[in-house]
């Protein structure tokens, strides 16, 4: 199993975000940190990006590019729910979800990173599991500009942090 791990410092994140042109996240170079008190996680995002109203259950937040709302970073978490043993046992082993854990965050957490290239929209998704909670990151953009945002999305995903509980 191959693991992808690219530690990145806060200074490097500032440089990366600062080097973005206006179509890639704003030109101010500032970063902000979103902290989720309910599930105890945090994620950085470009300081010029705007946020959507938070969901009523306070499970996460979505941020979008100020000039193109189709370019987004979403972070959220939820309690891990497993099917009852009788239901789980009825699912053939080859059809049961598996954990790939092909990615390591800067904090040292292992997770499953996937990239989905669509005809209209493409995404990079990270799922981390800890303390019976499923933590998520999604970077999303039109497929035509996904290559311009992949590095930003990857670097933000690598900085996803979970509090020790």
């Amino acid at each position: 199993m191959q693991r992808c791990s690219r530690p990145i410092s806060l200074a490097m994140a500032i440089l990366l975000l600062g080097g973005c042109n206006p179509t890639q996240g704003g030109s101010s170079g500032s970063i902000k940190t979103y902290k989720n008190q309910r599930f105890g996680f945090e994620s950085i995002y470009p300081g010029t990006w705007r946020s959507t109203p938070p969901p009523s259950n306070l499970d996460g937040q979505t941020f979008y590019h100020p000039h193109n709302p189709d370019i987004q970073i979403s972070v959220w978490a939820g309690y891990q729910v497993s099917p009852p043993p009788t239901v789980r046992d009825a699912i053939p082993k080859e059809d049961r979800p598996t954990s790939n854990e092909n990615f390591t965050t800067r904090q040292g957490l292992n997770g499953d990173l996937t990239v989905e290239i669509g005809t209209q929209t493409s995404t990079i998704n990270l799922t981390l599991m800890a303390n019976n909670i499923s933590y998520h990151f999604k970077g999303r953009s039109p497929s035509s500009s996904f290559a311009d945002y992949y590095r930003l999305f990857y670097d933000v995903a690598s900085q996803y942090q979970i509090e020790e509980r």
Side-chain angles (χ1 to χ4, degrees):
M1 190 176 305
Q2 182 179 1
R3 294 190 189 274
C4 297
S5 175
R6 295 193 180 189
I8 184 168
S9 68
L10 184 58
M12 181 62 136
I14 291 170
L15 287 173
L16 287 168
L17 296 175
C20 295
N21 66 38
T23 64
Q24 290 181 304
S27 57
S28 74
S30 67
I31 60 170
K32 291 184 179 178
T33 301
Y34 166 76
K35 294 183 180 186
N36 183 287
Q37 299 300 321
R38 180 176 181 208
F39 289 105
F41 70 89
E42 64 182 56
S43 179
I44 62 169
Y45 64 95
T48 59
W49 287 30
R50 298 184 176 129
S51 62
T52 61
S56 60
N57 67 359
L58 302 176
D59 68 349
Q61 186 71 56
T62 295
F63 304 94
Y64 62 93
H65 190 287
H67 303 295
N68 186 345
D70 292 334
I71 302 167
Q72 302 174 353
I73 291 173
S74 299
V75 292
W76 72 97
Y79 294 106
Q80 179 64 29
V81 178
S82 296
T86 55
V87 173
R88 184 177 54 247
D89 293 341
I91 301 170
K93 284 189 178 189
E94 62 273 8
D95 293 335
R96 293 181 194 170
T98 59
S99 174
N100 293 329
E101 291 194 346
N102 60 355
F103 183 81
T104 304
T105 67
R106 181 174 172 221
Q107 187 182 17
L109 302 170
N110 295 324
D112 182 18
L113 183 78
T114 60
V115 175
E116 298 172 16
I117 306 297
T119 56
Q120 299 294 318
T121 302
S122 294
T123 62
I124 181 171
N125 305 285
L126 173 64
T127 301
L128 303 165
M129 302 295 296
N131 307 314
N132 291 322
I133 298 174
S134 181
Y135 297 90
H136 303 274
F137 162 86
K138 178 181 276 191
R140 175 182 182 264
S141 77
S143 294
S144 60
S145 60
F146 187 71
D148 297 332
Y149 290 93
Y150 175 81
R151 172 53 57 203
L152 170 68
F153 294 155
Y154 186 94
D155 291 338
V156 171
S158 73
Q159 299 241 9
Y160 198 111
Q161 292 190 22
I162 300 172
E163 292 176 359
E164 292 193 29
R165 292 183 171 208

